[in-house]
Amino acid sequence: MIARMGVVSLMILTVALLQTAVFPHLTISGFRPDVLLLLVMAFAMRDGPIVGLRVGFAAGLLADLLMDFSAVGITALVFLGVGYIVGLSRPYLSDESISAPLVLSGLTGFIGTAGVAILSALLGEQALSLQLIAQASAVVALYNVLLSPIVVGTVTRIVDRFPAQGLLAAP
């Protein structure tokens, strides 16, 4: 259990560092992928809603603290919700499905980006238009679909090696 927490924490930190140091240089139309959100989706898809909540909150809070584009807590709230909803869909997904991770990564990329942007706009961010939010959400969704095989494959190997136990395990 402690080894799994350490591995998951290390993964979240590594992905956060990649997202802040490497991916700003690899943009499409000025937008970069949201690999932390992709990581949350992958863990929730593999382990269920409770793990999705926990990983989503931790990754979202770290994203809020590392990036200064929104008020602290917005990304944590959106990631938490995405992790929970994807975790709830877990019983309806086949473990051998190739299309499920691709579809979910696109949906979570779109919904997560739009959710953070809309909540930021509601809290007073003036630079966000509906067109910009839609464009950013579409590009991030596409980028996350392209990166999902790498992230989902890595998370699958981690989950198989360090399975969730006790309260973390999905019913």
Side-chain angles (χ1 to χ4, degrees):
M1 182 73 162
I2 292 179
R4 180 185 164 96
M5 273 192 340
V7 169
V8 171
S9 299
L10 185 62
M11 245 180 119
I12 291 171
L13 285 172
T14 303
V15 169
L17 288 173
L18 285 172
Q19 187 163 323
T20 57
V22 175
F23 285 113
H25 303 292
L26 303 172
T27 61
I28 296 176
S29 298
F31 302 107
R32 64 176 183 244
D34 196 341
V35 189
L36 279 171
L37 182 59
L38 194 55
L39 186 72
V40 170
M41 183 273 311
F43 270 107
M45 190 177 77
R46 293 293 299 165
D47 282 341
I50 302 300
V51 172
L53 279 169
R54 291 177 178 171
V55 173
F57 180 75
L61 188 60
L62 186 59
D64 279 334
L65 295 174
L66 288 177
M67 297 167 230
D68 58 348
F69 57 83
S70 66
V72 174
I74 291 177
T75 308
L77 178 65
V78 171
F79 282 20
L80 181 142
V82 166
Y84 185 72
I85 291 169
V86 169
L88 287 177
S89 70
R90 181 178 179 264
Y92 305 105
L93 302 173
S94 170
D95 287 337
E96 292 83 28
S97 175
I98 295 172
S99 61
L102 297 174
V103 170
L104 281 175
S105 63
L107 283 173
T108 57
F110 190 89
I111 292 169
T113 304
V116 170
I118 290 169
L119 286 176
S120 295
L122 288 174
L123 290 175
E125 182 66 41
Q126 301 296 325
L128 296 174
S129 67
L130 190 56
Q131 180 182 4
L132 181 65
I133 293 171
Q135 183 182 10
S137 299
V139 171
V140 169
L142 174 66
Y143 218 151
N144 280 5
V145 167
L146 295 174
L147 291 174
S148 68
I150 297 166
V151 175
V152 171
T154 304
V155 168
T156 299
R157 284 191 291 277
I158 295 293
V159 167
D160 290 344
R161 173 121 173 134
F162 301 98
Q165 300 169 355
L167 293 176
L168 287 177

